Amino acid sequence: MDRFHIPVLLEGDLLSVTRRVRGVGPRAFLTCGEGQARGFWARGRRWVAHIGVLQETAVLPGDAAGDRFHAVWEALEGVRARLSGEKARLYGGFSFRVDDQLDPVWNAFPPARFILPEAELEGGRSDATAEELLLRVWVAPREGEGPDAARARAETRLDELAQAVESGGGGESGGPRAPEGLSLRTETDRAAWEAGVEGVLEAIAQGAVEKVVLARTLDVTPPFRVDPLEILDQLRWANPMSHVFLFEPDPGACLLGAAPETISTLRKGRFEATAVAGSVPRGETPEEQSFLARQLLGSRKDRAEHRYTVEEMVRRLAGRAHDVEAEEEPHVLTLSRIQHLETRVTARPRSGETVLSLLEELHPTPAVCGLPRDAALVFLREVEPFQRGWYAGPVGWADTEGDGVFVPALRTAVSREGVWRLFAGAGIVDGSDPGLEWEETRIKFQPVLQALAASGAP
C-alpha cells in the first residue's frame, strides 16, 4: 500500500472535515500512516486511531518537570484558540517519573510528549453501526487562504485518504498464527530481584513503607522485524477487557500494552477511575477460575494491598472534587491470564479541574508505585536497576474541553532497534512471598509475550 502523507501545516486556524467510511478497521488506517507518528487507543469495541503530526508538545529532561501536566494543558488551550467551536485531542503520555537522562530505549519518550494528529479514525461508537467509522482530518489554512478554499482543499485530501484506506486492505488479525524463528531473551536476574523483594519486606517491617511495587524487565530480540500493528492486533484479540494502546511518535520507536485499569477519566463533569490491586492466576477451567476468585476475595494480604490503593485515591481526590465515592466492596476483574481485585471510584471535579490536573494529583497511585508515595519512589530509584521510562506512567488523550482518558502503561513493551523490552511489576506488602511475586510478574509478561509469539516471534 502506498503511504499517505499529509503536510504539517502549523500556521492559521484549524478546520476539520469528516467522512463516514465502511468496512475499514484501524489496521488499514494505521498502515497508511507507516513512517509517520501513529497511535491507537481502545477498550472493548470503542477505539480511536491517529496518524501524522500537526503540532507536537514535549517536556524534555531538564525542563520544568513539575509543570509537565500544566504544559500539556497550555498546549491544549493554544489549540483551542485556533478552533471554531470544535474539539481537538492531544494523544501521548508521561513518564513514570522525571529522570535527568534517558536510557536509549526511551529516547523517543521524554517526561511528556503529546501529538495533535493530522487524521483520526474512530470506531465502535454507540450512534453508528459496527461498519460505520468516523474519519477526521485537521487542516491549518495557508497564509492568505480563505476558509472556503481551505475547506475545499481539506475535502480533496480527505477524499484521497479515504480512498487509500478503503482500497488498502490491512484487515485485522483473526487470532494467533504459527510461530517462526527463535527469539533471544534476557531477563532480570531472579536472585537479585527476590533480594529486592526481601529488602522491601525489611523496610515494611521497620515502618519505612507500607507497600512498594517492584518491577522487572524482559528483553526479547526477534530474528526479524516484527510489525507492531500485528502485535497490536494480537493484543486486542486476546485482551478484550483491557485498555489496549499503541503510541509510535517516531518511526520504529513504539510503546504498546494492555492496561487493566484507568487512572483518570473525565467526561462532561464526571470523573471515574478504577483501583486495581491484588491478583491471582485466571485458572484453566471455569471451576478453578471461580475457586481462585473466591480465594482472592478472601485474601487478607490482597485485600490490604487493594485497600491502600482505594483509600489513597479517595484521599487525593478529596481536595479537587466533590462527591468522591468508592464502591464498598471490590469485585474480581477477570482478564485473559490473571484476575485482579477492582474497585470503581467516581467524583464530581471542582470548577476549573481538568483530566490533566486530576491525573497530576493521582499519579503515581499505590497500584504502580507504593505507599507512602515519596518513600516508595526513593526505594524504587535505589533498587530497580533500570529506568522505568513510560512504564507505569499515564498514557492516553486529553481534549480542548479538559476531558480525556488516561491509563497506566502496564502489561507493556517498548521497542528500539529491533529489541522489545517488556515490563512487569508486583505489589510487595506485608506477607508477600518472593517466589509467588516472581510468578505474578511472569504472568503479567504474558499478554505481550503471547502477542509477539502469535506474530511469529516466540
Side-chain angles (χ1 to χ4, degrees):
M1 181 191 306
D2 291 338
R3 296 176 183 173
F4 187 91
H5 293 272
I6 307 174
V8 178
L9 305 171
L10 299 177
E11 298 179 356
D13 295 330
L14 286 165
L15 300 176
S16 66
V17 290
T18 60
R19 180 75 42 82
R20 295 283 183 181
V21 293
R22 290 184 176 273
V24 176
R27 177 72 174 271
F29 177 74
L30 290 168
T31 301
C32 283
E34 187 175 358
Q36 303 177 77
R38 302 184 290 185
F40 176 84
W41 318 87
R43 187 175 193 271
R45 293 181 58 188
R46 290 295 303 268
W47 56 266
V48 61
H50 57 87
I51 60 176
V53 180
L54 275 182
Q55 179 175 304
E56 183 170 332
T57 298
V59 177
L60 304 178
D63 289 350
D67 296 329
R68 58 182 179 153
F69 294 90
H70 183 65
V72 176
W73 176 242
E74 285 186 330
L76 277 163
E77 289 185 311
V79 171
R80 183 171 56 188
R82 296 162 59 187
L83 297 168
S84 300
E86 300 165 335
K87 290 192 296 184
R89 293 172 178 171
L90 295 185
Y91 298 88
F94 302 89
S95 59
F96 175 75
R97 61 173 175 253
V98 178
D99 292 302
D100 295 332
Q101 294 181 334
L102 294 179
D103 183 299
V105 75
W106 293 112
N107 279 350
F109 301 91
R113 188 171 184 181
F114 282 79
I115 286 171
L116 172 68
E118 298 162 311
E120 300 174 43
L121 184 66
E122 191 169 357
R125 290 160 50 98
S126 59
D127 58 348
T129 67
E131 295 182 346
E132 289 184 343
L133 308 172
L134 175 66
L135 185 66
R136 177 177 294 129
V137 178
W138 296 98
V139 183
R142 294 174 180 142
E143 185 176 354
E145 183 180 48
D148 292 341
R151 187 169 294 279
R153 179 166 55 85
E155 291 281 1
T156 298
R157 285 162 53 189
L158 179 59
D159 288 340
E160 294 171 353
L161 178 55
Q163 183 178 3
V165 172
E166 290 177 324
S167 64
E172 274 53 57
S173 170
R177 68 186 190 193
E180 303 171 2
L182 181 65
S183 300
L184 300 176
R185 294 171 48 149
T186 305
E187 62 183 327
T188 302
D189 178 74
R190 178 166 183 167
W193 190 83
E194 291 191 355
V197 174
E198 295 287 1
V200 174
L201 292 174
E202 182 177 344
I204 291 172
Q206 294 174 351
V209 292
E210 294 178 69
K211 173 185 177 180
V212 174
V213 180
L214 195 63
R216 66 184 182 98
T217 62
L218 172 62
D219 285 0
V220 179
T221 308
F224 48 80
R225 179 186 177 274
V226 178
D227 185 352
L229 300 187
E230 180 70 23
I231 303 173
L232 178 66
D233 279 355
Q234 301 298 339
L235 277 176
R236 290 187 66 205
W237 180 81
N239 302 274
M241 296 300 294
S242 296
H243 301 266
V244 178
F245 60 88
L246 176 149
F247 187 56
E248 188 178 17
D250 296 330
C254 178
L255 179 79
L256 50 75
E261 69 225 61
T262 60
I263 316 173
S264 183
T265 299
L266 185 60
R267 289 191 181 96
K268 298 179 179 179
R270 294 299 300 175
F271 170 88
E272 182 176 328
T274 51
V276 175
S279 59
V280 293
R282 174 173 175 141
E284 298 298 329
T285 66
E287 293 77 16
E288 184 184 12
Q289 178 178 311
S290 179
F291 170 78
L292 290 170
R294 292 194 302 271
Q295 199 174 53
L296 178 62
L297 283 168
S299 167
R300 287 186 59 190
K301 175 256 184 188
D302 290 291
R303 291 291 288 258
E305 179 183 351
H306 186 77
R307 186 174 65 252
Y308 292 151
T309 298
V310 175
E311 291 178 349
E312 179 71 358
M313 292 176 72
V314 169
R315 185 185 71 82
R316 288 189 170 274
L317 285 169
R320 293 182 178 267
H322 306 285
D323 304 329
V324 181
E325 296 181 355
E327 293 173 320
E328 290 186 6
E329 290 291 324
H331 56 269
V332 175
L333 171 66
T334 301
L335 302 174
S336 60
R337 290 276 168 179
I338 197 168
Q339 300 183 93
H340 295 289
L341 292 176
E342 179 182 59
T343 295
R344 182 168 171 260
V345 179
T346 60
R348 184 167 53 87
R350 299 179 187 273
S351 176
E353 299 290 350
T354 69
V355 67
L356 290 165
S357 65
L358 296 169
L359 180 64
E360 182 178 16
E361 185 67 45
L362 289 170
H363 173 73
T365 71
V368 298
C369 175
L371 199 69
R373 177 191 286 181
D374 290 344
L377 284 170
V378 170
F379 198 96
L380 290 174
R381 189 181 291 275
E382 294 176 349
V383 172
E384 288 182 341
F386 56 86
Q387 282 189 358
R388 286 196 173 195
W390 282 31
Y391 164 68
V395 297
W397 59 267
D399 70 21
T400 47
E401 293 188 355
D403 290 350
V405 178
F406 284 89
V407 305
L410 300 176
R411 316 297 195 265
T412 194
V414 61
S415 69
R416 182 178 184 269
E417 297 181 351
V419 178
W420 290 87
R421 175 164 293 176
L422 285 62
F423 297 81
I428 313 303
V429 296
D430 186 28
S432 290
D433 177 89
L436 294 178
E437 301 300 342
W438 177 271
E439 176 64 16
E440 179 179 324
T441 57
R442 188 193 66 80
I443 294 172
K444 289 177 177 178
F445 282 136
Q446 293 306 306
V448 175
L449 271 179
Q450 297 235 340
L452 278 164
S455 303

